[in-house]
């Protein structure tokens, strides 16, 4: 599996679109086209297979702490699971920190703030400060411990020549998307052909994602979130 660097992507597009000896389409524009393509591929991928960009982060927490910052590379605040561990590294007490149900969560939070609760930890979103959303822990941590946060990250964006496009299976979608943008600006006679190729690559990507499973098991997991939220 090849992970393409930005310098390699740019060189391929410049060669195939005859851009090496002209400056009508600047390199800064090509970079923008590449990142637009990555953003579009990212949305398609996450719509069908979120765990493609699954990542974890370990956070040490202390007694009386009640907020966790979101990771800087998280996608749309998508947390998959929060696991709390307390005690020795060889034999810790470990359990999932569940998201608080919307029903009565504010009353639950108010009661927890009194300090008179032994409930297991839960979490909810709080977005009080623009640009600084947090994970609110309910009740506050009663002791020091460790959080393992599983979340969905952004696809890597390209800035410098050595940056890597981390969507290797669908690099042809990136190439096709960039060619369409180049041909649109140039008024190129092959624009319609390039658009057709882009849609072919999109459908190929979607078909691949629809059948993608991490362990070759095709059993569909039942989504019980609606029922859980009303219990």
């Amino acid at each position: 599996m090849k992970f393409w660097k930005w310098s390699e992507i740019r060189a391929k597009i410049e060669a195939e679109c005859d851009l090496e000896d002209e400056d009508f389409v600047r390199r800064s524009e090509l970079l923008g086209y590449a990142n637009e393509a990555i953003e579009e591929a990212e949305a398609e991928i996450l719509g069908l297979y979120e765990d493609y960009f699954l990542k974890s982060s370990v956070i040490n927490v202390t007694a009386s702490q009640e907020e966790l910052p979101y990771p800087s590379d998280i996608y749309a605040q998508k947390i998959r699971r929060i696991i709390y561990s307390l005690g020795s590294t060889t034999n810790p007490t470990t359990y999932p920190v569940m998201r608080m149900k919307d029903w009565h969560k504010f009353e639950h939070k108010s009661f927890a703030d009194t300090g008179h609760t032994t409930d297991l930890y839960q979490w909810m979103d709080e977005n009080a400060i623009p640009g600084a959303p947090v994970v609110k822990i309910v009740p506050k941590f009663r002791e020091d411990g460790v959080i393992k946060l599983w979340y969905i990250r952004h696809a890597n964006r390209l800035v410098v020549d050595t940056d890597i496009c981390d969507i290797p299976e669908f690099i042809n979608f990136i190439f096709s998307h960039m060619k369409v943008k180049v041909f649109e600006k140039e008024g190129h006679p092959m624009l319609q052909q390039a658009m057709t190729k882009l849609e072919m690559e999109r459908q190929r990507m979607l078909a691949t994602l629809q059948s993608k499973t991490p362990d070759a098991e095709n059993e569909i997991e039942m989504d019980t979130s609606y029922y859980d939220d009303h219990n």
Side-chain angles (χ1 to χ4, degrees):
M1 183 182 302
K2 177 177 174 57
F3 286 87
W4 289 70
K5 297 178 182 178
W6 165 233
S7 59
E8 297 171 316
I9 296 172
R10 185 187 64 237
K12 181 177 175 65
I13 295 299
E14 286 178 339
E16 294 185 358
C17 297
D18 296 322
L19 300 176
E20 297 108 316
D21 300 321
E22 58 121 295
D23 58 4
F24 183 64
V25 179
R26 298 185 301 274
R27 283 188 168 184
S28 60
E29 291 178 284
L30 280 182
L31 180 60
Y33 297 160
N35 283 318
E36 285 180 29
I38 290 170
E39 183 174 356
E40 190 165 330
E42 175 185 67
E44 298 281 17
I45 291 168
L46 294 177
L48 287 173
Y49 186 69
E50 280 194 337
D51 283 1
Y52 187 99
F53 293 115
L54 183 65
K55 183 177 178 180
S56 66
S57 177
V58 175
I59 305 169
N60 293 314
V61 297
T62 58
S64 297
Q65 182 176 342
E66 66 171 339
E67 292 181 356
L68 302 174
Y70 279 97
S72 60
D73 61 347
I74 194 170
Y75 181 89
Q77 298 176 211
K78 285 185 173 288
I79 292 177
R80 290 284 280 109
R81 187 71 75 190
I82 299 176
I83 306 295
Y84 178 71
S85 295
L86 166 69
S88 68
T89 56
T90 56
N91 189 28
T93 298
T94 301
Y95 63 85
V97 179
M98 307 302 294
R99 183 193 291 270
M100 294 182 71
K101 303 297 187 291
D102 280 338
W103 191 47
H104 292 323
K105 71 179 179 182
F106 303 111
E107 293 89 338
H108 190 153
K109 173 70 167 63
S110 296
F111 178 74
D113 286 345
T114 66
H116 302 299
T117 178
T118 58
D119 289 349
L120 297 178
Y121 300 127
Q122 299 182 75
W123 69 276
M124 58 186 286
D125 294 301
E126 185 172 88
N127 198 355
I129 301 174
V134 296
V135 175
K136 186 75 75 171
I137 300 298
V138 182
K140 299 177 183 179
F141 289 112
R142 293 179 286 262
E143 65 286 301
D144 296 351
V146 175
I147 285 290
K148 189 160 191 177
L149 183 67
W150 291 93
Y151 65 97
I152 307 304
R153 66 169 176 84
H154 277 288
N156 193 42
R157 298 306 195 263
L158 307 177
V159 179
V160 299
D161 282 356
T162 54
D163 284 344
I164 290 174
C165 177
D166 59 351
I167 311 176
E169 301 95 331
F170 310 122
I171 192 65
N172 286 329
F173 176 85
I174 307 299
F175 293 148
S176 293
H177 195 289
M178 292 179 69
K179 287 179 182 179
V180 166
K181 299 298 288 187
V182 169
F183 291 167
E184 281 179 342
K185 181 171 184 181
E186 293 182 331
H188 201 288
M190 292 184 64
L191 173 58
Q192 188 58 51
Q193 182 178 339
M195 293 175 68
T196 299
K197 179 67 160 55
L198 173 60
E199 289 311 306
M200 288 176 56
E201 292 298 341
R202 186 191 308 278
Q203 293 308 313
R204 183 178 301 168
M205 176 169 62
L206 295 178
T208 300
L209 292 168
Q210 284 171 342
S211 62
K212 184 176 178 63
T213 55
D215 53 8
E217 293 184 5
N218 295 318
E219 181 178 354
I220 298 175
E221 295 180 82
M222 181 179 293
D223 182 1
T224 62
S225 58
Y226 175 85
Y227 303 98
D228 294 341
D229 287 344
H230 291 78
N231 290 327

